[in-house]
Structure formats: C-alpha cells, structure tokens
Amino acid sequence: MIMHAAAVTITSVTSVAPFDRDELEKMLSLVTEIEGTLEGQFTHTRCVVARFMSEFIKAKFFNFCGQPGARLDSDQTIYFKDYDHQSLLFIIASLLLFGAPRTHQEDLKKIWVDRIINRILWNQFIGKLNDEWTGLALSATVILNANVAFLAIPFVQDTA
C-alpha cells in the first residue's frame, strides 16, 4: 500500500493518499527495516505496521474505495455539486480587497470537499498564506520606513 500511495502522489497533484511524498518515503524505509522482525521478539513492530494500515484503511473508507462512485481525486465531490452562494457583502469585500477573498474561497473549496479536509493540501495552503503574509509584512515595513523618512524632513516654508 505504501508503494502504491507513493506512486499515486508522484503522478497526481490531487491524490487521495493520506500522506505526502516525504512521509511515504520515511514509512517505506521504516517498514523495510522492520520487515524481518515481525515474527520475532519485537512484537511492537506489528503495532507500527497496524497503525500505518489503519490510516490507509480510513482513507479508503472516506473515499469509498472499491465502490462505483469512488473519489479518485481529492477535489472531486461524491455527494453533490456546491453552487456558489455569495452574499452581497462578500462580493463587495472581494472587490475592495482586489479579489483576495474569492481566491482564498476557491482554494478552501478544493481543500474541504464533502466536509473532509485533505491534510496535504491544507498544509500547502497554510504555507502559501504564510508566504503571502510575510510578503505583506515586508511591504508594510518598507512603506512605514518611507513614511517615517518623509516625516523626518524639516518643513521648508516658502518666504517669497
């Protein structure tokens, strides 16, 4: 299952695998290391494998794996298509904020499908937001420094 999930995450941006590529590589190396110790004295290794399997089984359950209407991509809905219901206040705020609320709403709709949050896409979204906010803080700092510099210039009065 780990190798299959790794292949899916490599070939698809919207995979339904519960782990990202780095986590799957770590899991695969761990399972490879404990492969010969499952029957021996280290009985806790079974717990490690069972824990990995339970996460994969939960993902299969939530995505209806093996059923006719199974979810194949993480942004694919199974139950219904959501219609865009936006209030007038949201539309006005989106226009005043140069479309940022609408962009974030579309990103959140891809992350939160059928009331299930995809953890991998959520982490990517939070990383993108942190980068955005870092850029905004840097821009605000530059503008604040420019304002302070202009305020430090003494006022020149025209005596003519």
Side-chain angles (χ1 to χ4, degrees), residues 68-106:
R71 181 181 292 120
L72 302 176
D73 292 319
S74 61
D75 59 351
Q76 175 188 359
T77 183
I78 293 175
Y79 299 113
F80 54 87
K81 288 284 185 189
D82 249 356
Y83 296 105
D84 245 357
H85 299 293
Q86 295 177 349
S87 67
L88 183 61
L89 179 65
F90 181 81
I91 294 170
I92 292 171
S94 185
L95 288 174
L96 291 175
L97 296 171
F98 305 109
R102 177 77 175 133
T103 303
H104 293 311
Q105 181 190 34
E106 289 171 2

Side-chain angles (χ1 to χ4, degrees), residues 4-160:
H4 179 265
V8 168
T9 57
I10 289 171
T11 59
S12 174
V13 177
T14 58
S15 73
V16 293
F19 302 103
D20 63 359
R21 215 176 294 165
D22 297 332
E23 291 171 332
L24 288 168
E25 288 174 6
K26 290 176 186 175
M27 289 170 66
L28 188 59
S29 68
L30 184 63
V31 169
T32 305
E33 287 179 25
I34 65 173
E35 189 174 358
T37 62
L38 289 175
E39 300 299 326
Q41 61 190 2
F42 303 111
T43 56
H44 61 280
T45 56
R46 289 185 191 136
C47 179
V48 172
V49 174
R51 185 148 182 112
F52 291 160
M53 291 298 292
S54 71
E55 293 299 319
F56 283 110
I57 295 303
K58 277 192 259 183
K60 283 186 166 203
F61 176 76
F62 286 125
N63 295 316
F64 296 100
C65 184
Q67 300 299 319
R71 181 181 292 120
L72 302 176
D73 292 319
S74 61
D75 59 351
Q76 175 188 359
T77 183
I78 293 175
Y79 299 113
F80 54 87
K81 288 284 185 189
D82 249 356
Y83 296 105
D84 245 357
H85 299 293
Q86 295 177 349
S87 67
L88 183 61
L89 179 65
F90 181 81
I91 294 170
I92 292 171
S94 185
L95 288 174
L96 291 175
L97 296 171
F98 305 109
R102 177 77 175 133
T103 303
H104 293 311
Q105 181 190 34
E106 289 171 2
D107 289 344
L108 286 172
K109 280 184 179 180
K110 291 176 185 173
I111 295 168
W112 192 51
V113 177
D114 293 338
R115 298 182 185 249
I116 299 172
I117 291 181
N118 186 326
R119 184 179 58 89
I120 298 163
L121 294 177
W122 176 255
N123 290 338
Q124 291 172 357
F125 176 71
I126 293 298
K128 186 177 95 172
L129 278 182
N130 282 337
D131 292 342
E132 251 181 55
W133 292 343
T134 302
L136 287 174
L138 180 65
S139 300
T141 304
V142 169
I143 290 171
L144 179 66
N145 285 336
N147 286 338
V148 169
F150 282 122
L151 289 175
I153 297 174
F155 183 66
V156 179
Q157 216 172 13
D158 193 13
T159 57

